[in-house]
Amino acid sequence: MNETRRAVLAALADGPVTGPDLADSLGVSRAAVWKHVEALRDDGFDVQSVDDGYTLTGVPDYGGAAVAFELDADFDVEYHDALPSTNDRARELAADGASDVAVIADRQTGGRGRRGREWSSPSGGVWMSLVLRPDVPPARVPLLTLAAAVAVTDAAREAGVDAAIKWPNDVIVPDAGDDSGRGGAKLCGVLTEMEGEASRVSWVVVGIGANVDVDPDELAGDATSVRAEVGDVPRRAFVQRVLERFDELRSDPAGIVDAWRERAATLGERVRVETTDGDIEGDAVDVTEYGALVVDTEDGERVVHAGDCQHL
Ligand code: BTN
């Protein structure tokens, strides 16, 4: 949304305001004001004419303009009704030099999960990829993944869901899912991709897949959604909260690991982690400053940087 339209929207939100006053304050013609009001209506904003001017009476449920409206985070929003994968689109933008863009799709037709898995992405979920250009070495990139999991956990908790994080970055509802109550049901996964050199990354794409307003009938076997746990939830507010928390966390990277620990379901659990070098079984005792899992095994402590973790 361009600057003038954003200013028109802000003035209408503070309204009522007359067309001539708005034109004067923004230094544009009345015809231009009218064009912006019509465009906002086309985007789903409800602008009503009252005795003393125009006023904003409704914001669309979802979409790019809706997410960007009153968003208190340093991200531009690019929205699509459908994409094969928001990560793929974010990678294109990153390769073109973009930064701090949140690519959001209502649904994905080729959503990708970790380890080359498919990621079911029906309408109702939050499928979003963040284009980032942090000035850090590759070893610090996992912190951004942890930050995404913390941000989603906080948004889910504020929506009333008893969410926690399974290492490294699955947001789960520990007491949902199978009858053992151990594995929990998955609410969100994060897929981080990057390009760079040994000493410095060029770009990072953090892909967040959160089952927010997903119909329980459309969920995969081990998954849950905010809607399945607590009922209907406004996606716009959820996404805004995720972006705002992520923005706070990335501005204070030293606090990310502690924030992760405070929300972890994995620490203190007996775990099996499938890694490319084989399975590691033991007690999950801590995470390192870069988010690697410390597992106390029969053969002593092992530090695990990547893998699929199961709570036993
Ligand atoms: C996982 O396997 O747990 C990670 C899933 C990540 C899915 C998200 S949805 C938005 C973004 N686009 C994708 O294609 N994948 C990520």
Side-chain angles (χ1 to χ4, degrees):
M1 188 181 291
N2 74 25
E3 279 308 306
T4 310
R5 190 159 304 159
R6 208 187 303 272
V8 169
L9 185 55
L12 294 169
D14 284 345
V17 59
T18 67
D21 283 353
L22 201 46
D24 281 352
S25 66
L26 299 177
V28 297
S29 68
R30 287 164 68 173
V33 166
W34 184 244
K35 200 181 83 194
H36 287 301
V37 168
E38 284 300 291
L40 288 167
R41 284 180 167 149
D42 287 347
D43 271 347
F45 289 92
D46 203 358
V47 180
Q48 297 215 345
S49 166
V50 290
D51 285 347
D52 33 6
Y54 293 101
T55 192
L56 182 70
T57 52
V59 178
D61 290 342
Y62 204 44
V67 171
F69 178 60
E70 295 184 333
L71 173 67
D72 189 11
D74 198 7
F75 281 100
D76 290 332
V77 178
E78 182 184 293
Y79 179 84
H80 301 260
D81 288 333
L83 276 179
S85 157
T86 55
N87 263 39
D88 292 350
R89 174 62 188 147
R91 290 174 66 112
E92 282 173 16
L93 292 172
D96 283 348
S99 184
D100 296 340
V101 182
V103 179
I104 301 175
D106 177 46
R107 64 192 173 85
Q108 298 183 118
T109 52
R112 298 189 283 111
R114 290 169 63 222
R115 300 181 150 211
R117 296 184 188 116
E118 284 179 15
W119 183 261
S120 160
S121 315
S123 174
V126 165
W127 322 123
M128 170 164 76
S129 300
L130 309 180
V131 182
L132 309 168
R133 304 192 101 81
D135 188 12
V136 298
R140 294 186 71 102
V141 169
L143 288 179
L144 295 168
T145 312
L146 301 188
V150 170
V152 172
T153 301
D154 287 356
R157 286 184 178 182
E158 285 165 29
V161 180
D162 181 21
I165 307 172
K166 181 160 77 97
W167 184 86
N169 47 46
D170 284 353
V171 179
I172 63 167
V173 180
D175 293 330
D178 67 30
D179 291 339
S180 73
R182 285 183 177 161
K186 184 157 164 174
L187 190 77
C188 169
V190 182
L191 175 67
T192 296
E193 299 177 303
M194 55 171 274
E195 192 167 279
E197 295 158 16
S199 59
R200 208 183 139 267
V201 302
S202 169
W203 54 256
V204 179
V205 165
V206 177
I208 299 171
N211 295 316
V212 177
D213 200 18
V214 176
D215 188 326
D217 289 341
E218 294 197 69
L219 291 168
D222 65 342
T224 188
S225 65
V226 177
R227 177 162 151 192
E229 297 297 322
V230 295
D232 286 349
V233 60
R235 262 192 303 176
R236 171 177 169 252
F238 191 96
V239 175
Q240 288 183 327
R241 195 63 194 122
V242 171
L243 289 171
E244 287 165 5
R245 276 300 282 138
F246 186 87
D247 215 20
E248 287 165 9
L249 290 155
R250 72 170 166 165
S251 68
D252 177 22
I256 293 173
V257 168
D258 276 343
W260 188 95
R261 282 191 186 102
E262 283 162 18
R263 293 156 181 77
T266 301
L267 298 183
E269 289 285 329
R270 183 138 194 101
V271 296
R272 181 182 306 121
V273 189
E274 277 176 42
T275 77
T276 45
D277 295 333
D279 289 1
I280 296 172
E281 196 171 314
D283 297 321
V285 289
D286 200 4
V287 283
T288 67
E289 60 173 332
Y290 293 149
L293 188 67
V294 183
V295 184
D296 189 9
T297 74
E298 279 183 351
D299 305 323
E301 280 193 357
R302 299 276 303 270
V303 176
V304 190
H305 294 274
D308 265 356
C309 176
Q310 272 180 281
H311 296 178
L312 300 176

